[in-house]
Amino acid sequence: MSDPAAPHWFLAGAGHIGTLVACYLQRAGHRVSVLRASARAPIEASLHFHGSGRRQHISLPVHTPATLAAPIEHLIVACKTPYTAKALAGCPLAADATVLRLQNGIGSLDGLLAPTTRLIETVTTNAVTGTATVHEVVAENQSWMGDSGPRPTWFDALTAAWPGLVWTEDIRSAQWRKLVANAAINPLTALHDVDNGALLDDAGLHAHMQRVVTEADTLLTALDAGWPGHSLAMVEAVARATAANTSSMRADLQRGAATEIDAINGWLVAQGARLGMDMPVNAELAERVRAAHKVSHASRR
Ligand code: KPL
């Protein structure tokens, strides 16, 4: 049952993570609708929670910017980063809207929101695979939500519906940890077409991963002297925990889709350029992924 006082969220990006978050929000009594450029029937999907064996059906009405009765007050951005600008095009956001961003990488919303919009970043280590209509929730781990503002009034009730969700005033550290893991794991697994675990088993790939992490740590320390660095063990732990997984970038390259390289390694390289720091390891990986995408996209035309 939805609570009439709870927010009505519009979801841009009803993929695995977007649908899982919609499910948590619905459990907490929030309304969730999907925002799309063109009209279509409501989305009907099921989620299978491997940890508990629970299955849940979800039904999400679909709106287009033209069918909205009023500007959006609560928006979830969970689409792949390259599609962010397109997903928000023509989307009427209220001046004081709250935007929840659930995407890999950093910076995909830069320049797209008004200064009065509240942007709450969310980092999740939950793992979901499956199809567009059956979402296999393989792991529910920790998720962090936060910005520089106070906890929203709806947050505490949401934690009862969303296992492992915590509020943090230091969301940037969680984002940076995830960024380093994605920068090391995603392009290498995509370019070599291997599962995440290969980065631990193959000495050459492991050494390459180590160079990516060292360079990222050097940059993040230059951005913030308080960054603890030494991220290799953390990245190895992520690769171990997801050893049998196909990384999202590998999956994107396999189907010829746009990758998130610009928001991950590209973001690190751009920050390096801003500080006058060369980032050759990350820059080379980013170039190779862009080139591989062109080839895989062209071969599917
Ligand atoms: O987030 C991921 C991704 O594939 O995008 C990791 C953690 C690398 C798991 O595959």
Side-chain angles (χ1 to χ4, degrees):
M1 269 292 275
S2 67
D3 165 1
H8 180 182
W9 294 92
F10 288 86
L11 170 64
H16 293 315
I17 292 292
T19 306
L20 177 60
V21 170
C23 168
Y24 292 146
L25 288 163
Q26 281 192 348
R27 280 185 194 168
H30 298 218
R31 282 173 68 199
V32 186
S33 302
V34 171
L35 186 68
R36 288 179 61 118
S38 49
R40 54 159 283 177
I43 291 174
E44 306 288 342
S46 64
L47 296 103
H48 178 196
F49 294 86
H50 288 209
S52 60
R54 177 176 176 178
R55 283 178 191 272
Q56 194 168 336
H57 178 78
I58 188 165
S59 179
L60 298 167
V62 175
H63 284 269
T64 68
T67 62
L68 293 171
I72 292 174
E73 297 276 355
H74 294 87
L75 176 73
I76 305 161
V77 179
C79 56
K80 288 289 182 88
T81 53
Y83 308 114
T84 311
K86 202 168 164 203
L88 268 64
C91 159
L93 268 188
D96 61 347
T98 297
V99 174
L100 211 57
R101 193 181 84 95
L102 278 128
Q103 294 175 306
N104 277 337
I106 297 186
S108 63
L109 285 171
D110 288 357
L112 295 179
L113 301 178
T116 48
T117 305
R118 179 171 190 187
L119 173 59
I120 299 179
E121 295 276 359
T122 307
V123 176
T124 182
T125 53
N126 288 358
V128 192
T129 62
T131 65
T133 50
V134 181
H135 303 277
E136 304 286 344
V137 186
V138 181
E140 289 180 287
N141 302 313
Q142 187 126 36
S143 302
W144 298 265
M145 205 181 263
D147 67 353
S148 53
R151 275 209 310 265
T153 47
W154 43 260
F155 182 82
D156 289 343
L158 182 59
T159 58
W162 181 335
L165 178 65
V166 293
W167 184 261
T168 174
E169 276 154 26
D170 182 20
I171 189 67
R172 201 186 62 170
S173 293
Q175 281 185 285
W176 283 9
R177 281 195 298 276
K178 176 94 164 81
L179 180 76
V180 178
N182 285 137
I185 296 172
N186 294 21
L188 285 172
T189 53
L191 290 168
H192 294 273
D193 198 17
V194 290
D195 289 346
N196 296 357
L199 303 182
L200 303 169
D201 300 337
D202 180 291
L205 288 179
H206 185 268
H208 201 162
M209 171 167 89
Q210 189 163 4
R211 290 200 297 279
V212 178
V213 171
T214 304
E215 192 177 85
D217 271 337
T218 307
L219 172 84
L220 296 176
T221 307
L223 287 173
D224 178 354
W227 175 246
H230 304 291
S231 300
L232 185 62
M234 176 276 294
V235 175
E236 287 172 341
V238 175
R240 199 169 299 117
T242 60
N245 283 22
T246 287
S247 75
S248 54
M249 197 173 284
R250 180 185 179 205
D252 289 337
L253 271 195
Q254 284 175 341
R255 59 196 171 94
T259 75
E260 301 190 296
I261 197 73
D262 290 338
I264 303 175
N265 306 74
W267 184 87
L268 290 165
V269 174
Q271 295 302 309
R274 217 170 45 82
L275 298 183
M277 282 173 66
D278 271 346
M279 302 283 291
V281 183
N282 281 276
E284 194 236 9
L285 277 183
E287 277 315 312
R288 284 175 58 194
V289 170
R290 288 183 192 113
H293 164 63
K294 278 193 193 139
V295 172
S296 94
H297 184 65
S299 72
R300 269 159 191 82
R301 281 184 154 178

